[in-house]
Amino acid sequence: MRKYLNIITAYSIMMILIILVGIFQSWSIALSILNYCLISAVMTMGANIQWGYAGLINFGIMGYTALGGLAVVLVSVAPVPEAWSAGGFNMITSLILILGIVLIVNYILKKYKNLKYKNYLIALVIVFGIILIRVVASPGIEAIEAVNPAKTGFLGGLGMPILFSWIVGGLFAAGLAFLVGKIALGLRADYLAIATLLIAEIVVSIIKHEDWLARGVKNVIGLKRPVPYEINLQTSPWFINLVEKLNQGKLNLISSVSEKKDILNQLVIDASSVYVKLCMTGLFLTVVIILLILTQKALYSPWGRKMRAIRDNEEAAGAMGKNVVKEHLLIFILGSAIVGLAGAMMVTNDGLFTPGSYRPMRYTFVIWVMVIVGGTGNNFGAILGGFAVWFLWVEAGPIALFLINFFTAHLDEANALKVHLIESAPYFRFLMIGVGLLVIMRYRPKGLIPEKINTKKI
Amino acid sequence: MSFFEGNKMTAGYGNGPDIINSCTIKVDRGEIVAILGPNGAGKSTAMKAMLGLLNLKSGSVVIDGQEISKLSPQDRVKKGISFVPQTKNVFAELTVRENLEVGAFLREDDVNKVIEEIYNLFPILKEKSSQVVGQLSGGQRQQVALGRALMIKPSILMLDEPTAGVSPIVMDELFQHIIKVKETNVGIIMVEQNAKQALSISNRGYVLVTGENKFEGSGDELLNDPEVRRSFLGG
Amino acid sequence: MELLNALILLLNYTIVPAITYGSQLALGAIFVTLIYGVLRFANFATGDMMSFGTMFAVLLTYYFQSIGIGLGILPTALLTIPFAIIAMILYMLFIDNFVFKYYRVKKSAPVQLAMVSVGVMFVTQAIIRIIIGPFDRRFLDGEKFILKASEFKEMTGLNEGLTIKSTQAITVVVTIILVSILFWFLNKTKTGTSMRAYSDNEDLALLSGIDPKRVVMITWIIAGFLATVGGVLYGLDKSYKPFVYFNNMLPIFAAAIVGGIGNPFGAFLGGYVIAFAEIFVTYAYKKFFTYLLPESLEPDSLVQLLSTDYKFAVSFSILVIVLLFRPSGIFEGKKI
């Protein structure tokens, strides 16, 4: 029990903080933060599997998150038949062309292993292929993007339930991770970090600029939801009754009927938003718990031990006949798939897909801070890191504002420095996150909840 | 009293066990001393302890009557003790001449004269002076390493397995160079795996076993000692 | 005549901008490669450090303008560069002393230092945004053009104009001067040689009496020059926006790796490789071919390999290809 004490303490503090937000700001904000904390926790678990279990640096979190989000659009949005009839044929032909190129390149690699000009031949095939694809695809793209550009202008999705997209998001990310892993996993740690970062940029720039796919920077809004809509709740009698019942005491104090009605209305509106978020919380919590159970099981399984052996001494593990390359690829795919799942969860939570918002700062580096702060190699730590850092990220602005006001209280309201600082309050979050990271790395290099692998008997 | 002495040295890495135990190595100027012994006997460790790359737990290092046990490796280099590590003993990305120049960074006076002396000792280096060392052959690299170490005009030169990984022909050549260096009144300590060949050019030799002095004597004595022959020279 | 027009077109829209952009990347890439070679870590704060130095130049430019100091036809920013460099160097040495030094002394793994540099990136970005804000700023003054398209057309009688902006000329001249001094320093001076020796073989360098503290300090000082000058040149040519500078880290990394990380001359060339690739692959050659081909063969599409949206993607793809086939970079030879 004792060894879990600091975990319990840390989580309790985190919960208290969120509850405090609920009391002082609003329950809706508190739940939004909680939901994002849960999503961050999933991302962090994904990154932690790669870094903590296997020592692989994946700075491409952003790319996998975006792919997960793309999956939501492609799975859940209703198809746009006009777009399909306008340019579907061209796009499918292009897809076949891409497959063809891949097959030809593969064939060349296999058949002409010893050919001197192999690489030039492949380059030629690829360049020629790209030109061909452009010729085939551009009229199709133009036609698709011309279909009601203000609302659609893309092929749309499959119109399937949105929860299904979470799995697809994971699969998308896994597919990308397979490719990236094949290319980059042999690289030295810091090269891998740079390579994954750049590949993620490529992925995001494709999602951003291929409008026919998911409207690019024009965003897809009004995605389906796995939970009820506020507006429906507000007109459901059972919900109104529930709210009335819960607030009986408060409502009884008001005598005027019309006033009572107004207040009840307001309460219903507030409660509906809280209810919706609670439903989301339930879903996310389920995912987190399932993942936690699976990852913990994996960590203490023979496979987990093997992974740690490889991480701690790659050469020795390799010499003992462990297939380091294969295991690294597997773990890279697994971790990325979890990140993809998180990306899908996030877009589901937001109800919109905004490719322009995928920036490395927010979706790669902040996640990495979560991993480092939480404690590498420890799933409880990873989740805590996700919670703590996300909480700081959101609440840093208000905290900074409070501190600025506190320290400049003696200054005049119109004081230039004070005004400037107050305007800059949102940027203090970078400062806090950065200083936090540096302090943790220096004084608690194993994170808030360190890996405690030896204390548990396997 | 010899010119350079490591007396009863005991040392190990970090908090680990002692690798050498009350080990004594002595060398005079103009003399070649070989340190021999089985793998893990602490040969290199003894040499590193004399250079100050690891701290002594007990014992002392003395040069020319002056106690230097507390000095840093750099300060010992300034006292005229030069060291050629076994691996990574050259600056592979620098030219031959730059390697020599870096070797003389601790000298204040004109280095060109010393470089000329080194070129006389190792003529091949003059020929390759503007080539990047990474492109040279193994034997040539070892000459660069020797030349670099000689740039401070040391009184003591310590070589950690100078012939590791070179062909027998190159090994003979290197030994000839080492003899030439000795003749310039430099005391040489070398750790060697090729015991027979090393002893054949050495004035004296030490045989270490598990960090302690086991045998010592002149090169011929050790070569002819039946027990040494049986245990370390392969019959 | 048509051929000449086509060449001028290409010169104006691809080669001149590519040389300019390449020079800016090259300075950043040498910065990355020096830090990697001597201090042995990938510095993820690269873009923000460049941004930090540039911020000082921007603020000082505003100040100088307000008190009426200027350089006439040259941008005032040139006057502020020395001060900005000093501020930059002080900041770098401060960060090194309080952050990086600890891990260096402990001989931490490069990955750990890279992660620490992420922390420095956050902090630097915060300081910049708190001081100057996230907005897009232009701080170029003085004469904008050396050669205007209309003047060129008049001079030569060609259809195509050639424009040379003063910032392009300044970028190239300053880069040539700075890089020449740098390579002279690295290759011909004792301190430069000791830096290269330290980067090549740390243990042997220590035994040869090279003072690691001094090498580290000099590296940061040179880095301060490169970061500030590179940043200011980029800002003069385009504009100063902190987020853009952060993003510029990516093509800069690509340039450094393409050139063989740790190899300054490779990084220098790598900058141009990336810049030329980005611009050549995303340029629409329609007009170019219109000049060259007979009317019947004229293309109706843009003749563009990839849309300009994929500018960054091009350089990153090059990087991936290089990593796949030649992880040591495409320029072999002497490293730092």
Side-chain angles (χ1 to χ4, degrees), chain B residues 202-216:
Chain B
S202 301
N203 301 70
R204 289 185 301 114
Y206 291 89
V207 177
L208 302 189
V209 176
T210 58
E212 290 173 42
N213 292 61
K214 184 93 177 190
F215 303 100
E216 63 176 278

Side-chain angles (χ1 to χ4, degrees), chain A residues 51 57 59 119 127 130-131 134 182-184 187-191 193-195 197-199 201-202 205-207 209-210 359-361 365-366 368-369 372 393 420-421 424 427-435 437-438 440-443 445, chain C residues 36 40-42 44 98-99 102-103 110-112 114-116 118-123 125-127 129-135 243 246-247 249-250 253-254 257 260-261 304-307 309-310 312-313 316-317 319-320 323-325 327:
Chain A
W51 169 242
I57 295 196
F59 271 3
N119 289 345
V127 169
I130 288 176
I131 294 172
R134 280 192 68 88
K182 277 276 177 202
I183 295 173
L187 298 171
R188 227 167 43 201
D190 30 13
Y191 273 29
I194 296 170
L197 181 61
L198 299 188
I199 291 172
E201 285 281 348
I202 297 180
S205 73
I206 290 175
I207 296 179
H209 299 304
E210 297 301 326
R359 292 181 170 184
M361 203 66 188
F365 293 116
V366 170
W368 267 92
V369 176
I372 303 281
W393 183 253
H420 181 83
L421 280 178
S424 313
Y427 312 123
F428 278 88
R429 62 159 61 151
F430 294 103
L431 192 66
M432 292 184 196
I433 298 274
V435 171
L437 176 65
L438 291 177
I440 293 269
M441 288 206 71
R442 176 79 162 257
Y443 299 105
Chain C
Y36 194 91
R40 292 168 223 289
F41 68 92
F44 283 93
F98 286 97
V99 181
Y102 172 81
Y103 301 93
V111 171
Q112 193 147 24
M115 208 56 83
V116 169
V118 170
V120 172
M121 172 185 91
F122 272 101
V123 171
Q125 212 164 83
I127 295 175
R129 285 172 198 216
I130 289 168
I131 293 181
I132 199 169
F135 314 107
F243 176 70
F246 163 73
N247 256 4
M249 165 178 86
L250 303 170
F253 265 135
I257 294 180
I261 200 157
Q304 191 181 16
L305 269 176
L306 278 175
S307 93
D309 299 331
Y310 290 116
F312 270 11
F316 304 160
S317 313
L319 176 83
V320 171
L323 284 176
L324 265 177
F325 292 104

Side-chain angles (χ1 to χ4, degrees), chain B residues 120-132:
Chain B
N120 284 336
L121 214 52
F122 310 107
I124 188 79
L125 298 191
K126 183 167 192 173
E127 209 176 292
K128 308 258 180 191
S129 72
S130 54
Q131 264 202 41
V132 175

Side-chain angles (χ1 to χ4, degrees), chain B residues 63-175:
Chain B
I63 187 165
D64 205 5
Q66 192 188 358
E67 160 96 36
I68 55 168
S69 316
K70 293 278 174 278
L71 294 186
S72 70
Q74 284 86 340
D75 289 332
R76 295 189 204 199
V77 173
K78 283 182 196 158
K79 296 275 174 206
I81 304 164
S82 212
F83 175 58
V84 179
Q86 181 186 348
T87 54
K88 290 182 76 182
N89 51 20
V90 289
F91 297 106
E93 289 163 9
L94 271 57
T95 64
V96 172
R97 198 186 160 89
E98 282 170 342
N99 262 274
L100 298 181
E101 283 168 2
V102 173
F105 269 7
L106 286 169
R107 294 180 66 87
E108 308 287 321
D109 53 345
D110 181 30
V111 294
N112 287 322
K113 230 181 76 191
V114 193
I115 289 181
E116 280 310 314
E117 284 172 30
I118 302 289
Y119 283 164
N120 284 336
L121 214 52
F122 310 107
I124 188 79
L125 298 191
K126 183 167 192 173
E127 209 176 292
K128 308 258 180 191
S129 72
S130 54
Q131 264 202 41
V132 175
V133 172
Q135 299 167 351
L136 301 181
S137 71
Q140 290 166 347
R141 274 164 173 252
Q142 292 300 66
Q143 294 186 36
V144 175
L146 282 177
R148 186 205 62 82
L150 290 173
M151 282 302 292
I152 58 160
K153 292 207 150 185
S155 41
I156 298 295
L157 181 61
M158 301 207 284
L159 310 172
D160 195 355
E161 305 209 13
T163 63
V166 300
S167 69
I169 300 167
V170 176
M171 183 167 80
D172 284 342
E173 196 192 329
L174 271 176
F175 279 146

